[in-house]
């Protein structure tokens, strides 16, 4: 049997191709145009990868998205079975405004190992670094969780910085975090970016809050690859979504563990920077004696090996 870990260079090139394709639209205000270019480039390159891949988390239901939709078969059809989760542009508003934290991201794991959320589009997430693994009670009040996290990291609560999306649904949570004495790093979009900061303990000590379920599955791969901690609970936000979840028997009270969201250590998380952030830089363009070039910066979290790899690639275009 092969390993998903062996596909990492090919899958890095999938993310790099998407980043190069959409990079000219960074800061243009045209997020849909950029996203379309990223999707097309990602799909073209991923179908050259020698694997029997299935998009488990993609651009949407088959009748809504023409490419990289949930259930789409990708790769050459040869080799090992692979579950794929993609977000061709994570943080589209950040991308459109050239604000920090927009990335191309992809996660991969053996076939059947990624949680399939059905019609629940939102997830309430808690993400913590490796030092906190097994030391957090996910159902405890926020103040208690912050004390547990501080003890695990050897910090005072006042030294903690929690990444939270700046959304009305989080205002009560933010008040609790502040009341407990911790700090908050706010962002308008991009909770995968915030979660990876927590996983790597680079810029944030944890992520709290409700964001997209697809992003939650991608994050779970990163957390498992690095031995970090994560919990998720399905959190439908709109009436039609609540009804769909009821019809599908989705338990919105149950907290899912990291290892329920992704059941294999043989998993990959890959992110290529579109705008600069805590752990990857933006796509750079320039000219030299050979002509125009583009340089991408990518981070790979490899659960099969348990390491972090940074890949910088320059090609002439």
């Amino acid at each position: 049997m092969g390993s998903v870990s062996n596909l990492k260079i090919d899958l890095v090139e999938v993310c790099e191709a998407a980043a190069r394709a959409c990079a000219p639209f960074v800061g243009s205000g045209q997020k849909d145009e950029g996203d379309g270019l990223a999707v097309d480039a990602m799909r073209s390159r991923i179908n050259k990868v020698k694997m029997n891949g299935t998009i488990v988390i993609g651009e949407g239901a088959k009748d809504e998205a023409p490419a990289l939709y949930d259930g789409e078969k990708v790769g050459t059809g040869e080799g090992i079975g692979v579950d794929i989760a993609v977000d061709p542009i994570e943080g589209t508003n950040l991308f459109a405004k050239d604000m920090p934290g927009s990335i191309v991201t992809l996660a991969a794991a053996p076939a059947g190992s990624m949680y399939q959320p059905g019609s629940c589009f939102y997830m309430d997430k808690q993400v913590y670094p490796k030092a906190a693994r097994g030391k957090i009670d996910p159902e405890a009040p926020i103040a208690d969780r912050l004390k547990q996290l501080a003890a695990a990291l050897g910090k005072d609560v006042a030294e903690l910085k929690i990444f939270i999306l700046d959304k009305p649904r989080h205002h009560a949570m933010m008040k609790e975090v502040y009341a407990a004495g911790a700090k908050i790093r706010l962002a308008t979009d991009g909770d995968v970016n915030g979660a990876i900061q927590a996983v790597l303990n680079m810029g944030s000590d944890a992520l709290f809050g409700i964001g997209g379920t697809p992003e939650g599955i991608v994050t779970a791969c990163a957390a498992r690859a690095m031995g970090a901690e994560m919990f998720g609970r399905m959190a439908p936000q709109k009436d039609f979504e609540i009804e769909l979840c009821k019809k599908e028997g989705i338990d919105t009270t149950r907290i899912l563990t990291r290892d329920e969201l992704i059941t294999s250590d043989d998993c990959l998380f890959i992110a290529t920077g579109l705008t600069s952030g805590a752990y990857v830089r933006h796509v750079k363009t320039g000219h030299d004696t050979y002509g125009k070039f583009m340089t991408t910066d990518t981070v790979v979290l490899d659960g099969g090996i348990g390491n972090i790899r940074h890949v910088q690639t320059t090609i002439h275009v």
Side-chain angles (χ1 to χ4, degrees), residues 167-191:
K167 307 289 184 183
R169 62 180 177 262
H170 293 149
H171 288 174
M173 175 193 295
M174 289 158 57
K175 287 181 180 178
E176 288 188 63
V177 173
Y178 285 135
K183 310 296 192 301
I184 295 176
R185 169 167 284 182
L186 287 174
T188 57
D189 300 272
D191 71 340

Side-chain angles (χ1 to χ4, degrees), residues 45-284:
R45 181 62 183 87
I46 202 169
N47 280 325
K48 297 174 184 176
V49 179
K50 190 176 180 180
M51 66 177 179
N52 182 11
T54 302
I55 301 290
V56 173
I57 301 291
E59 286 289 275
K62 185 174 181 179
D63 59 346
E64 296 176 0
L68 299 179
Y69 54 80
D70 297 0
E72 181 178 356
K73 294 294 183 180
V74 292
T76 64
E78 308 165 87
I80 64 170
V82 183
D83 281 354
I84 299 287
V86 296
D87 197 344
I89 298 182
E90 210 275 317
T92 52
N93 289 321
L94 304 177
F95 169 89
K97 298 174 183 178
D98 197 5
M99 296 172 65
S102 183
I103 54 178
V104 174
T105 186
L106 178 152
S113 60
M114 282 187 187
Y115 180 80
Q116 299 194 35
S119 298
C120 203
F121 309 127
Y122 287 88
M123 180 189 291
D124 192 358
K125 308 164 198 175
Q126 301 175 43
V127 183
Y128 305 95
K130 183 176 181 178
R133 174 83 174 146
K135 299 176 181 177
I136 306 293
D137 177 358
E139 300 189 73
I142 282 176
D144 291 344
R145 280 187 267 143
L146 291 172
K147 290 176 183 176
Q148 292 163 0
L149 177 60
L153 299 182
K155 295 183 175 184
D156 293 329
V157 170
E159 297 177 275
L160 296 177
K161 187 171 289 184
I162 311 303
F163 187 102
I164 299 175
L165 289 180
D166 191 2
K167 307 289 184 183
R169 62 180 177 262
H170 293 149
H171 288 174
M173 175 193 295
M174 289 158 57
K175 287 181 180 178
E176 288 188 63
V177 173
Y178 285 135
K183 310 296 192 301
I184 295 176
R185 169 167 284 182
L186 287 174
T188 57
D189 300 272
D191 71 340
V192 170
N193 173 55
I196 303 310
Q197 290 181 34
V199 165
L200 299 178
N201 216 191
M202 294 176 63
S204 300
D205 297 296
L207 172 140
F208 291 167
I210 297 169
T213 298
E215 291 82 355
I217 307 304
V218 169
T219 296
C221 284
R224 181 143 188 173
M226 292 292 98
E229 184 67 286
M230 179 178 176
F231 303 99
R233 179 183 60 80
M234 297 298 108
Q237 296 297 294
K238 296 180 179 178
D239 289 343
F240 81 93
E241 188 189 358
I242 292 169
E243 287 305 311
L244 284 172
C245 288
K246 285 180 181 177
K247 287 180 181 178
E248 294 177 15
I250 295 170
D251 186 351
T252 58
T253 64
R254 180 168 171 260
I255 293 178
L256 297 162
T257 66
R258 182 200 73 181
D259 293 353
E260 290 175 297
L261 294 169
I262 174 72
T263 63
S264 175
D265 286 331
D266 184 24
C267 56
L268 291 170
F269 168 86
I270 302 168
T272 300
L274 291 171
T275 60
S276 289
Y279 52 91
V280 282
R281 294 185 293 276
H282 64 279
V283 178
K284 296 180 181 178

